[in-house]
Amino acid sequence: MTAPDVVQGLDLEALRTWLDAEAPGELPGALSASLITGGKSNLTYAVTNGERDVIVRRPPLGHVLATAHDMGREHRVMAALAGTAVPVPRMIAECTDESVIGAKFYVMERMSGTAFQRAKDLEVIGAERTRAVTERLVDTLADLHAVDYEAVGLGDFGRPDGYLTRQVARWKKQLDSSRSREIEGIDELAERLTSSVPATSESTIVHGDYRLDNVLVDTEDGDRITTVLDWEMSTLGDPLTDVAVMLAYQHLALSAGPSSGQVTDAPQAPGYLSPDEVVDRYAARSGRDVSELGFHLGLAYFKLAVILEGIYFRHAAGQTVGSGFDGIGAMIDPLVQHGLHATSK
């Protein structure tokens, strides 16, 4: 067999040998791969033998923070959620040996569906269908938070006690690990969060980066959500952090102009639930009190700012793969200002 080409970050010949040993017969024959664009953290590849596709996930190239990009975490939570109300792909195999392709990785089933990142793509399906899709997005999050994590084998997946305090400390540490320039207000936001951590009365599985373009929607099958993706920040903790992240992306999109370069402008689409409707629907579905979200929103903005600063750091060092990184640095100041506003109330 002729040796396959090496795709940046994924040695297909090494992958072929490893698959033959760990998942024989799963994807036989010569392999080709393409980087799926849109992800600016872990790298996602579509790998095919010409008849069937699978997905391979691995960490980014270079400057991988110690507590981020945990392949085992992603693999474990999706494997545990199989059979619950939360749609996830079938896990095929996991590799913890970094010598195979230069990093830990896992292989999973490729699911059908569209990741709606842009408002213009939702406009194609119309306002009525867009509203139904975003209702399902909220319902799926509530369903995730309803999963009994002990029953699915995730009792040791995180440490719920002190979760919010550790989150603030973690993202401050991540910021320090990626500092390459001054960012006005970000240290003030960190201090506000440190001094105002609320008590947490309930813990669930949390996704960590929940938004519309992190799910796939099958527009050929009733606009159902076929899978929830990008679990690298999942853990056990306060479910309102997921609600706040979803709202933070939405507030950013709604406060920016069209085509402003935001991570997603999907919430600008006609029919997309308003922030108040998102909160009300989640409260009704989950039964939780969501009346006080100031701290959680502040933490969400801080976390997103730190994540983007890490991506900016890697991009400036030439360690990112794919397109769409230009302008990342300019997105961070608005996040900080939104975070300061949320925590000033």
Side-chain angles (χ1 to χ4, degrees):
M1 182 181 70
T2 303
D5 292 337
V6 175
V7 180
Q8 188 174 12
L10 182 62
D11 184 332
L12 289 174
E13 188 171 11
L15 178 64
R16 167 76 281 148
T17 300
W18 180 83
L19 277 172
D20 287 342
E22 299 297 326
E26 189 71 44
L27 196 70
L31 302 178
S32 61
S34 59
L35 180 71
I36 296 179
T37 57
K40 295 182 173 61
S41 188
N42 286 340
L43 303 181
T44 306
Y45 303 87
V47 179
T48 183
N49 63 359
E51 297 180 357
R52 180 167 169 265
D53 295 357
V54 299
I55 296 294
V56 174
R57 289 268 286 175
R58 61 149 289 166
L61 308 180
H63 189 63
V64 177
L65 300 172
T67 57
H69 315 298
D70 187 339
M71 296 295 95
R73 176 165 294 273
E74 284 195 356
H75 181 273
R76 184 182 174 192
V77 69
M78 285 189 283
L81 288 170
T84 70
V86 183
V88 289
R90 178 176 66 91
M91 298 296 102
I92 294 171
E94 178 189 13
C95 180
T96 59
D97 181 357
E98 295 186 6
S99 70
V100 176
I101 66 166
K104 297 176 182 178
F105 68 95
Y106 65 91
V107 183
M108 63 183 176
E109 176 185 15
R110 185 172 191 179
M111 303 295 289
S112 62
T114 300
F116 284 106
Q117 187 177 29
R118 297 298 166 203
K120 61 182 178 62
D121 299 321
L122 285 169
E123 288 167 3
V124 172
I125 69 172
E128 184 176 349
R129 289 172 65 187
T130 294
R131 182 175 183 85
V133 165
T134 51
E135 287 175 343
R136 290 173 191 138
L137 180 72
V138 176
D139 292 349
T140 299
L141 182 62
D143 290 346
L144 169 64
H145 295 161
V147 172
D148 183 336
Y149 58 81
E150 294 278 3
V152 298
L154 295 177
D156 61 347
F157 193 59
R159 293 178 294 152
D161 292 343
Y163 169 74
L164 293 176
T165 299
R166 288 196 311 279
Q167 280 284 290
V168 175
R170 173 193 175 184
W171 292 107
K172 286 175 64 177
K173 183 177 179 180
Q174 304 268 81
L175 174 64
D176 290 339
S177 298
S178 299
R179 280 187 192 269
S180 61
R181 58 187 181 140
E182 289 298 318
I183 303 172
E184 184 179 355
I186 199 165
D187 291 313
E188 179 184 353
L189 177 55
E191 289 308 311
R192 286 189 187 181
L193 293 170
T194 300
S195 63
S196 60
V197 178
T200 304
S201 59
E202 183 183 11
S203 295
T204 69
I205 302 169
V206 295
H207 180 276
D209 194 26
Y210 194 78
R211 61 182 195 260
L212 183 57
D213 58 311
N214 276 342
V215 307
L216 297 182
V217 178
D218 192 338
T219 57
E220 303 299 319
D221 186 15
D223 296 328
R224 67 185 180 91
I225 293 177
T226 61
T227 192
V228 180
L229 299 170
D230 290 350
W231 294 87
E232 64 186 274
M233 290 186 287
S234 59
T235 188
L236 303 181
D238 187 332
L240 296 187
T241 57
D242 272 343
V243 178
V245 164
M246 185 166 55
L247 290 171
Y249 282 118
Q250 186 163 8
H251 288 150
L252 284 171
L254 295 175
S255 64
S259 304
S260 62
Q262 296 294 330
V263 173
T264 174
D265 66 3
Q268 296 178 9
Y272 200 108
L273 294 181
S274 70
D276 285 345
E277 288 173 322
V278 168
V279 171
D280 290 346
R281 189 172 184 93
Y282 177 84
R285 180 89 170 193
S286 68
R288 291 188 177 89
D289 180 3
V290 293
S291 58
E292 298 292 336
L293 285 172
F295 170 88
H296 294 86
L297 280 169
L299 177 58
Y301 286 120
F302 181 62
K303 180 172 78 170
L304 295 180
V306 173
I307 291 169
L308 290 185
E309 185 63 13
I311 294 169
Y312 172 83
F313 184 101
R314 293 196 300 276
H315 181 56
Q319 296 173 332
T320 48
V321 176
S323 60
F325 295 97
D326 294 338
I328 285 287
M331 296 182 189
I332 295 164
D333 285 340
L335 285 165
V336 174
Q337 296 309 309
H338 279 288
L340 291 171
H341 177 72
T343 54
S344 66
K345 299 175 182 178

